[in-house]
Amino acid sequence: MDDLNGTINPRCLGDRPLTMEVINYLSVNVFGITLYTILTFMTLVSITVFLDMCAYIYKKVPYPKKTNIIWVIGAAPVISTMCCLGLWIPRATMFADMTANSYFAIVIYKFLILLFEECGGEEAFLRYSEKKTIKVSTGPCCCCCPCLPPVSITRRLLFLLKLGSLQYAILKTVFSIFSIALWANGNFDISTLSIYGTALWINLFVGVLTIIGLWPIGIMFMHVRKTLRTLKIMSKYAMYQLVFVLSQLQAAIINILAVNGVIACSPPFSSVARGSTFSQQLMIVELFVITLVTRMLYRRIYEPVNLDPHENDNEMNVKISLCPNSVEEHTA
């Protein structure tokens, strides 16, 4: 804004800058080029750590559990890579964001399946939970409805839980492709929050799908959190939730602030472009830390999990076999 005549710099009203404009801007900005270099280095380290974990898990963990783990641990590195791509190619931000969001939608489903796998698989979970119930008054859907009665654990219930998360993984990807098609036709603008714009209604509908998709994981986690405490499931769940908050809620809040002009324009970056850049820079740093923590949680010795049906506890009880003769010694 020009303080003398009250006019807006025309460059603040333009589209996102091209890559060469970003490079020219950084060439005369020592702090900027240093920051971009550090963030790019962090992204490369995250990718390296992820590949190292993939190689370890591929060798140490049996199928299909290893595929679910690889999908889950890839959330932070993949989103960080997309943020770095959007940082250097601002006009690809929407494509990078939708790719990252579609990937994380699949991660939500894979994390639910991983909870079953950590219990020894669906059959083992059903075998030792056939006479037990599960609490459904959990977040994010029904945390305010404690009056909801517990539900018996059946094969049908597990199917509904998986379906709840799977629908989000599929529909989120479908709506991302649909949004790109609308954007190419000039009918989708993520910076427009008007009730007459398609972006608002698509995002609201996807928000409802997100809540439905997260609910089964909340139900399952609350049921097995004590059972799998020796596997550090609470820390793993916290990392998964943190990635969701940073990639979805934090990015949405910054975008809303940028659209409303709270984040000032700084040519060649408009307010919206600068908001996206600020969000990407934050997430790269945050996801770098999460990647390192995730490595400590998942790079471990994967011992078989034995569920004992004779334990008199409200929750399933788990035993980690440290050696082949441990059970025999205990019974002796």
Side-chain angles (χ1 to χ4, degrees):
M1 180 75 70
D2 191 331
D3 295 332
L4 297 178
N5 54 23
T7 59
I8 299 176
N9 189 327
R11 300 182 69 186
C12 290
L13 300 176
D15 201 353
R16 298 175 188 270
L18 298 171
T19 301
M20 286 308 301
E21 293 180 276
V22 174
I23 294 176
N24 292 334
Y25 170 75
L26 295 176
S27 63
V28 294
N29 188 331
V30 177
F31 174 77
I33 191 62
T34 303
L35 178 62
Y36 272 55
T37 302
I38 294 174
L39 294 176
T40 303
F41 176 74
M42 284 183 172
T43 303
L44 293 176
V45 171
S46 296
I47 296 173
T48 304
V49 171
F50 171 62
L51 294 177
D52 173 68
M53 288 193 294
C54 287
Y56 177 85
I57 291 171
Y58 187 81
K59 294 178 182 179
K60 301 294 183 179
V61 184
Y63 179 86
K65 185 177 180 179
K66 61 183 176 185
T67 58
N68 296 318
I69 294 177
I70 290 174
W71 272 95
V72 172
I73 64 177
V78 168
I79 297 175
S80 179
T81 302
M82 292 298 102
C83 288
C84 188
L85 180 65
L87 204 62
W88 286 101
I89 312 175
R91 294 197 178 185
T93 295
M94 187 181 75
F95 300 93
D97 289 346
M98 289 187 175
T99 301
N101 292 338
S102 297
Y103 181 90
F104 190 75
I106 300 175
V107 168
I108 290 177
Y109 173 72
K110 291 294 184 179
F111 190 83
L112 176 64
I113 301 301
L114 181 60
L115 292 178
F116 291 124
E117 293 293 336
E118 292 285 23
C119 294
E122 291 183 30
E123 294 300 325
F125 181 78
L126 284 170
R127 189 180 309 120
Y128 299 108
S129 302
E130 56 184 357
K131 296 181 180 180
K132 298 178 181 178
T133 59
I134 192 169
K135 183 181 179 182
V136 296
S137 56
T138 61
C141 260
C142 299
C143 54
C144 299
C145 303
C147 58
L148 290 177
V151 179
S152 299
I153 299 176
T154 62
R155 195 177 301 275
R156 176 182 173 82
L157 175 65
L158 298 191
F159 172 77
L160 293 176
L161 291 177
K162 292 191 294 182
L163 182 62
S165 292
L166 182 61
Q167 58 82 24
Y168 178 63
I170 296 175
L171 293 179
K172 175 61 180 178
T173 304
V174 170
F175 275 104
S176 295
I177 297 174
F178 183 57
S179 298
I180 293 175
L182 291 177
W183 171 82
N185 197 48
N187 301 116
F188 185 90
D189 185 1
I190 197 171
S191 63
T192 301
L193 299 179
S194 170
I195 60 173
Y196 300 104
T198 57
L200 177 64
W201 295 106
I202 289 178
N203 289 335
L204 285 176
F205 187 69
V206 170
V208 175
L209 297 178
T210 303
I211 294 175
I212 297 174
L214 293 174
W215 190 26
I217 297 181
I219 293 173
M220 186 64 185
F221 171 74
M222 294 300 292
H223 184 70
V224 301
R225 69 186 189 281
K226 294 181 180 179
T227 303
L228 303 178
R229 61 184 179 273
T230 56
L231 303 181
K232 300 180 180 179
I233 196 62
M234 297 190 71
S235 299
K236 295 176 181 178
Y237 183 75
M239 290 299 102
Y240 147 81
Q241 289 281 62
L242 191 56
V243 173
F244 171 76
V245 170
L246 296 178
S247 64
Q248 306 295 320
L249 299 183
Q250 176 182 273
I253 292 172
I254 293 177
N255 180 64
I256 292 173
L257 293 177
V259 170
N260 287 279
V262 177
I263 299 177
C265 160
S266 178
F269 297 96
S270 64
S271 295
V272 175
R274 194 169 179 226
S276 298
T277 301
F278 181 60
S279 175
Q280 291 159 351
Q281 292 170 350
L282 274 179
M283 280 201 290
I284 289 175
V285 177
E286 295 161 344
L287 295 173
F288 173 75
V289 177
I290 292 176
T291 300
L292 299 181
V293 175
T294 301
R295 181 184 185 277
M296 293 188 295
L297 293 175
Y298 285 92
R299 190 181 174 88
R300 61 177 177 81
I301 298 176
Y302 285 84
E303 297 288 351
V305 178
N306 296 323
L307 301 178
D308 191 346
H310 302 295
E311 297 288 348
N312 296 320
D313 193 2
N314 292 330
E315 301 286 345
M316 290 187 307
N317 292 275
V318 65
K319 290 183 179 180
I320 305 298
S321 301
L322 299 178
C323 61
N325 300 323
S326 61
V327 177
E328 296 178 4
E329 293 175 358
H330 178 72
T331 55

